[in-house]
Structure formats: structure tokens, C-alpha cells
Amino acid sequence: VALCEAEEAPPACSRPHVGESRFNWKLFWQFLRPHLLVLGAAIVLALGAALVNVQIPLLLGQLVEIVAKYTRDHVGSFLTESRHLSTSLLILYGVQGLLTFGYLVLLSRIGERMAVDMRRALFSNLLRQDIAFFDAKKTGQLVSRLTTDVQEFKSSFKLVISQGLRSCTQVAGCLVSLSVLSPRLTLLLMVATPTLMGVGTLMGSALRKLSRQCQEQVARAAGVADEALGNVRTVRAFAMEHREEERYGAELEESRCKAEELGQGIALFQGLSNIAFNCMVLGTLFIGGSLVAGQQLTGGDLMSFLVASQTVQRSMANLSVLFGQVVRGLSAGGRVFEYMTLSPCIPLSGGCSVPREHLRGAITFHNVCFSYPSRPGFQVLRDFTLTLPPGKIVALVGQSGGGKTTVASLLERFYDPTAGVVTLDGRDLRTLDPSWLRGQVIGFISQEPVLFGTTIMENIRFGKLGATDEEVYAAAREANAHEFITSFPEGYNTIVGERGATLSGGQKQRLAIARALIKQPAVLILDEATSALDSESERVVQEALDRASAGRTVLVGTHEELLKKGGLYAELIRRQALDAPAPEVPR
Ligand code: ADP
Ligand code: MG
């Protein structure tokens, strides 16, 4: 009867060890491979630009030599003699500009496309993770991997190719020219530059640390603002505006101090490095000048030397900044790739499914034990056995925290039991296709319905993609929602606001019921579906639920409702007689 892809239950799966996220070069290669041709072109252009940069100082020196000649003795025409050199220089400038334009365009193309591919892959893999994964992670951190980390990785990648390649080539090329021009001066430069670079790098790493602290503080301040603005109703209700202002102000003050400290550090660094570079120029001029005076060097060569040595220094400074960027880029990339390779224990799809006409909807929990992966030592269900006969309503009654929602989650297969089995029509849930189970068999209505910030129509259609408008209307009628929807000026095209903020609790719940009913589920789970409602909306919603329950296997989780009604149950609770979920109570 069942349509199967795999007959046996998949082997139990243990969580892979997640340590410090290391950079996954293999995965990176997969993202890079489609762009290799363009990357090759970009590298060639960047190398070309760097080589042109090496040529420029040499030509400049020759030009200066001509100028110097004319300052000494005014014979011949300066213009004719310098025209050739000047045109060559102009052409080189043009070529350099074009090459730079070319490789930057190509790099930005590669970077943006890789970023899109990476975000897509990461997002789709995040959506596939187990519910237990999301229990343990903060949503904000997951989102920042999609945004900030990909961004950081992309800019590092672009910088490494453009700046890194150019700087390395320029350093190498210019060092060759320098040593041809004057080996003695070059030797001097080779001693002085790395020393200064070393000092600069030390200062730079201290500044980077400060800058990281600064960013963390800014993020903390943003977190306070985010919490206050996101929960403005609670803030208003407790008249906490002033307190929140103070809290945000304190965080801002803290981040101002840090930022000013960083500003002072950067200023000091800039000032000192200006002095250092200027002294290097003066030193070169002084020593080079005495070489010129001793006829060991021409004035033009000295000029070439100066320009080339400036290029070397600038390139090396660039490289040291780049080094920090590479480290940050690799760790950002590591964070992005970490969750791309993580595979869930419960797959989204694959396994048996039963055709609708053969589905009865009988559910059994056999000696199920369960503890949440995020709290392994704490057993929520111990030897739990429960039968839901097809087409019958079974109520699970118990105190808050007793495990009613947990039972529903196991039925939805958000988690697998630690021991024991859950079956649907006698088949282990683990052999069934989870997407079929959730998408077509089980309708789940929780205490806090979650809607998406789109139209009512789209929200109901969430239950069954590709449902016709007629099906949506029918589901809404069944859920007692059609009337209030059509009373809105925009009707079914009304946007419900972020998380359904523009609707009342009862209206939201009825949309959630319509959304669950549109898939015509054989099994319905009502997890304290009316407990958060006032008695008037509870009546309308209960009516919809009663209608929806007819002919279906229904699991009701109740606590609040029975408490509200008073009576025996409330009395029992009052006497603290219940400390675990009670056995089934058929209605
Ligand atoms: P009920 O729905 O009956 O109020 P729950 O099934 O939500 O109870 O909770 C049962 C127990 O499991 C509680 O002690 C609760 O703290 C714990 N629990 C619920 N959800 C999680 C979770 N995601 N991770 C860890 N423990 C949880
Ligand atoms: Mg609950």
C-alpha cells in the first residue's frame, strides 16, 4: 500500500562534533570553480597593471634627467627631446587606468556572484537543520552568518586578489629596478623598511584589537535598541521608556569611549607613520644626494629611486593591512562554511508515504522516552504509551511543563524519541517521508499562531502551495474566518503585518486553523489552541475547531481551558495531585 523509497528506518545519527569553525578550502573551491576563467582574466589584468606601475618610476627618472640637463645648459629643444618620453608616460597612465578598471569590474562580478551562491547554499542548508539545532542557536547569530560574514568574506577575497597581487608584484618589480639603479641605496632601504614595518604591524594589531572591541560594543548597543523597539508594547505597558533610554545611553557612552580611544590610536599611528615616511624620503635624498655629488648616481636615477621606493613602501603597508583582512576573511568564511556542511539527523524528505485513500490516521506511542537534545539529562517523557484511534478525539491533560507540546513535537517528527517508537497506521514514523507527514497528514495548531508578513490569501495558502482561490475560501469558511476577512476593505489581500501584528488573537488563530485545514489533514493536533484567547473569541475558535475535528484523528492538549472551567480538574490541580501528564481521556 505504501509508496516507499527506503524500507528500513534510517540509522540513528549522532551529532557531529562542532568545534572551532575552520576554513573549508574544498567547499570554497566549489564556489570559485564556475568563475575560474573570469578570475584568470582578472589576475592577468591586475598583474599587467602592477607591471605598468613598476615601469612608471623609471620613465619619470629619465624625464627628470632631461629636465636637469636643460637646467644646466640651455641648448636644443626641450619639447622635442621630452615629447617621446611624455607620450610614453601618458600611454602608460592610460593603460594602467584601463587595466585597473578591468580587473576591478571582473573582481566585483566574481565576488557578488559568489556571495549570492554562498548565501543561497547556506540559507537552504540552515532551513534543513533539525529543530534541535535551532533550540541551541540564536537566530540573530544565524542571520549574521548570512549577512555580515558573507560580506566580510567577499570583501577579503576581492582585496586579496586586487591589492595583494598588485602589492606583491610591485614590491618585487620595484625591488629589481631599485637594485639596478643603486645597490647600495637599496641595501639601506631593505634594512630600514622592514624595521618600520615591524613596528607598524605591532601597532596595527593593537589597533585591530581595539577596533574589534569597538564593534562588539556597537553591537551591544544595537542589541539594546533592537530589544526595546522590537518589544515596544511591553516597554510601553511597563512605562519603561526612561529606563530603556538610560540603558541605551549607557551603552552608547561606553562605545563612545572605546571609539575615541581607537580614534586616538589611529591618529597616533598616522602621525608617526607620516614622520617615518618623510624621514625615509629625506634620508634617501640625503644619502642619494651625496652619491650624486660623488658622481656615483645621476639625478634622474635618484628621482626614479625615490618614486620606486615610495611604491615599495606603500605596497608593503598595504600588504600588512591585507594580512589582517585575510585573517578576518578566513574566519568569516569558516563561519559561513560551517553550517553549509552540517547535515541534519532528521532529513526533510525521503521514505514511505501512504496514498490518501488508504490512510486511516491511527497513531500510537509505544514506550516512548524522550529528552531534549539541548537538555540531555532531563527526561521529559518516560515509558510514555498512548493510542489515538483513527477518527477519534483524544485529550492530553496536564500541567504546564508536563510535556503536552513535546508529544505534539514528536508526532510532527521535530525530534525523534530517545527510546521507543511512534507509529502511524502501524508504521514507524522514522520510515515515513517527513515532508509528506508534515505537509499532508498532520495539521498543527499551536497556542501562539505564527503568521507571515504577507496577505491573508498567501498565509492560508501556506498550508497547501498551489491551492486554488476557491480552496482558500472554503478553508476560511470552515475556520469561521471568511466573515471577518471579507469585512476588511482589502479582503483576502489584506497584509497581516509582521507576524500578524494587525490582527486580534482570535483572528490570527482562525487563519492558522484555515491554514491547517486547507491541507485536509487526517490527523489534527490542537495544542492549547484556545488558551490564549478571551472567552468571546474562544467561543468562535472552539466552534471552528469542533467542526474541523469531525472525522479526523485529533490530539488535544489542554490545561488552561480546563482550569478556566473550574470543576474537578481545577480542583485536582489546586491540590497538586497532578505532577505528570495524565493518561488519555477519550471524549
Ligand atoms: P507543556 O506543553 O505540557 O506545557 P512542554 O512539552 O512544552 O510542556 O515541556 C515539557 C518540558 O520540556 C518542560 O520541562 C520544558 O522546560 C522542557 N522543554 C520544552 N521545550 C524544550 C526545548 N526546546 N529544549 C529543552 N527543553 C524543553
Ligand atoms: Mg505546551
Side-chain angles (χ1 to χ4, degrees):
V1 181
L3 312 168
C4 286
E5 282 176 23
E7 197 47 71
E8 336 52 289
C13 136
S14 62
R15 279 259 128 223
H17 173 71
V18 183
E20 174 61 13
S21 43
R22 299 211 23 222
F23 190 79
N24 189 333
W25 290 98
K26 222 171 106 192
L27 211 56
F28 172 58
W29 173 246
Q30 281 174 17
F31 283 99
L32 190 61
R33 204 163 44 189
H35 309 290
L36 278 186
L37 217 63
V38 185
L39 182 66
I43 288 178
V44 168
L45 294 187
L47 282 178
L51 288 178
V52 171
N53 269 354
V54 175
Q55 289 304 310
I56 288 173
L58 298 179
L59 290 188
L60 276 179
Q62 290 173 20
L63 193 60
V64 166
E65 195 55 28
I66 295 175
V67 173
K69 198 179 113 198
Y70 279 88
T71 36
R72 279 197 306 273
D73 29 44
H74 302 265
V75 283
S77 157
F78 172 71
L79 275 185
T80 19
E81 210 169 323
S82 64
R83 181 177 303 137
H84 178 67
L85 262 181
S86 312
T87 1
S88 308
L89 266 171
L90 272 180
I91 293 175
L92 280 187
Y93 289 156
V95 169
Q96 205 268 355
L98 267 180
L99 290 174
T100 306
F101 171 80
Y103 79 73
L104 285 182
V105 166
L106 292 183
L107 274 183
S108 124
R109 187 186 131 116
I110 300 172
E112 296 310 322
R113 289 177 187 211
M114 261 187 0
V116 168
D117 291 345
M118 284 166 69
R119 288 198 169 113
R120 253 202 210 130
L122 177 58
F123 184 62
S124 100
N125 204 51
L126 279 178
L127 278 181
R128 274 169 179 66
Q129 293 309 309
D130 291 325
I131 298 292
F133 171 86
F134 293 97
D135 285 346
K137 301 283 185 283
K138 286 199 190 122
T139 331
Q141 282 172 357
L142 298 182
V143 171
S144 93
R145 294 199 184 209
L146 273 175
T147 52
T148 334
D149 286 336
V150 172
Q151 181 79 20
E152 175 111 5
F153 179 70
K154 179 185 73 185
S155 27
S156 307
F157 171 77
K158 289 203 286 198
L159 268 180
V160 167
I161 304 286
S162 60
Q163 304 268 2
L165 215 60
R166 209 184 65 196
S167 300
C168 287
T169 319
Q170 281 175 191
V171 167
C174 284
L175 278 181
V176 171
S177 333
L178 286 178
S179 49
V180 170
L181 285 169
S182 166
R184 224 186 296 176
L185 268 183
T186 310
L187 206 67
L188 212 70
L189 202 69
M190 297 273 270
V191 176
T193 308
T195 316
L196 285 179
M197 283 293 143
V199 176
T201 310
L202 277 183
M203 278 187 81
S205 79
L207 285 179
R208 267 199 298 281
K209 198 170 139 205
L210 247 170
S211 142
R212 198 170 42 246
Q213 288 173 354
C214 237
Q215 278 168 2
E216 278 163 10
Q217 183 54 36
V218 166
R220 253 198 300 281
V224 171
D226 186 57
E227 194 176 47
L229 293 176
N231 303 314
V232 72
R233 283 186 171 77
T234 313
V235 172
R236 185 68 47 89
F238 287 88
M240 292 200 305
E241 289 88 353
H242 198 64
R243 215 197 65 138
E244 290 297 315
E245 267 166 39
E246 273 172 6
R247 226 153 64 91
Y248 184 55
E251 297 290 355
L252 279 185
E253 196 59 21
E254 182 87 2
S255 82
R256 179 190 62 80
C257 287
K258 279 259 165 8
E260 279 183 9
E261 209 175 311
L262 177 66
Q264 285 161 8
I266 290 176
L268 183 68
F269 182 76
Q270 291 279 351
L272 284 181
S273 62
N274 280 358
I275 293 177
F277 278 123
N278 285 331
C279 284
M280 298 261 307
V281 173
L282 188 61
T284 315
L285 262 181
F286 189 74
I287 300 170
S290 55
L291 286 179
V292 172
Q295 307 245 307
Q296 287 170 295
L297 197 67
T298 68
D301 282 350
L302 182 56
M303 173 67 188
S304 302
F305 193 92
L306 267 180
V307 178
S309 64
Q310 288 281 296
T311 309
V312 170
Q313 281 161 12
R314 240 181 301 128
S315 305
M316 286 180 73
N318 262 344
L319 282 178
S320 85
V321 172
L322 206 63
F323 180 71
Q325 184 72 35
V326 168
V327 172
R328 262 175 296 156
L330 283 181
S331 73
R335 285 194 295 274
V336 173
F337 291 138
E338 180 186 5
Y339 291 156
M340 263 187 215
T341 44
L342 202 62
S343 48
C345 294
I346 304 176
L348 276 195
S349 56
C352 306
S353 61
V354 182
R356 188 170 286 273
E357 59 273 21
H358 294 293
L359 189 68
R360 294 166 55 240
I363 308 258
T364 321
F365 285 73
H366 291 285
N367 303 99
V368 167
C369 298
F370 180 70
S371 34
Y372 281 97
S374 54
R375 206 179 291 159
F378 177 71
Q379 212 166 36
V380 180
L381 299 178
R382 192 177 311 124
D383 249 347
F384 176 78
T385 296
L386 172 74
T387 308
L388 308 184
K392 291 270 166 41
I393 300 174
V394 172
L396 204 57
V397 175
Q399 260 172 322
S400 184
K404 303 180 292 294
T405 303
T406 306
V407 171
S409 300
L410 288 175
L411 193 48
E412 278 266 35
R413 218 175 152 219
F414 288 162
Y415 309 91
D416 277 335
T418 332
V421 280
V422 185
T423 60
L424 169 69
D425 288 354
R427 293 171 178 280
D428 187 341
L429 233 48
R430 282 171 292 194
T431 62
L432 298 174
D433 181 353
S435 68
W436 167 77
L437 182 76
R438 297 172 190 139
Q440 296 180 36
V441 180
I442 296 177
F444 182 71
I445 294 165
S446 69
Q447 182 173 1
E448 293 280 336
V450 174
L451 299 179
F452 291 86
T454 168
T455 60
I456 289 180
M457 184 69 110
E458 287 305 311
N459 264 297
I460 298 180
R461 202 171 266 149
F462 237 88
K464 182 182 172 189
L465 296 178
T468 62
D469 288 2
E470 300 310 319
E471 284 177 272
V472 172
Y473 301 148
R477 279 204 191 87
E478 218 182 326
N480 263 354
H482 184 72
E483 214 164 296
F484 85 79
I485 297 171
T486 44
S487 75
F488 292 154
E490 309 272 335
Y492 279 83
N493 292 323
T494 310
I495 307 273
V496 301
E498 204 181 345
R499 279 181 238 134
T502 61
L503 298 174
S504 79
Q507 289 171 336
K508 267 195 281 192
Q509 194 57 295
R510 279 177 280 166
L511 290 190
I513 295 170
R515 180 174 62 183
L517 289 184
I518 200 169
K519 53 181 161 181
Q520 303 196 316
V523 180
L524 200 58
I525 303 174
L526 309 177
D527 188 12
E528 306 203 49
T530 57
S531 62
L533 304 177
D534 56 276
S535 53
E536 176 53 25
S537 25
E538 185 186 335
R539 197 184 51 77
V540 200
V541 171
Q542 191 58 53
E543 199 181 293
L545 289 177
D546 289 345
R547 197 177 318 146
S549 300
R552 295 199 160 96
T553 309
V554 184
L555 176 67
V556 196
T558 61
H559 172 63
E560 294 285 333
E561 287 101 297
L562 289 181
L563 260 196
K564 272 196 233 164
K565 287 201 173 82
L568 183 59
Y569 177 75
E571 188 55 35
L572 281 173
I573 287 294
R574 210 165 295 125
R575 288 189 198 158
Q576 301 277 304
L578 279 177
D579 55 7
E584 65 251 55
V585 182
R587 280 206 320 215

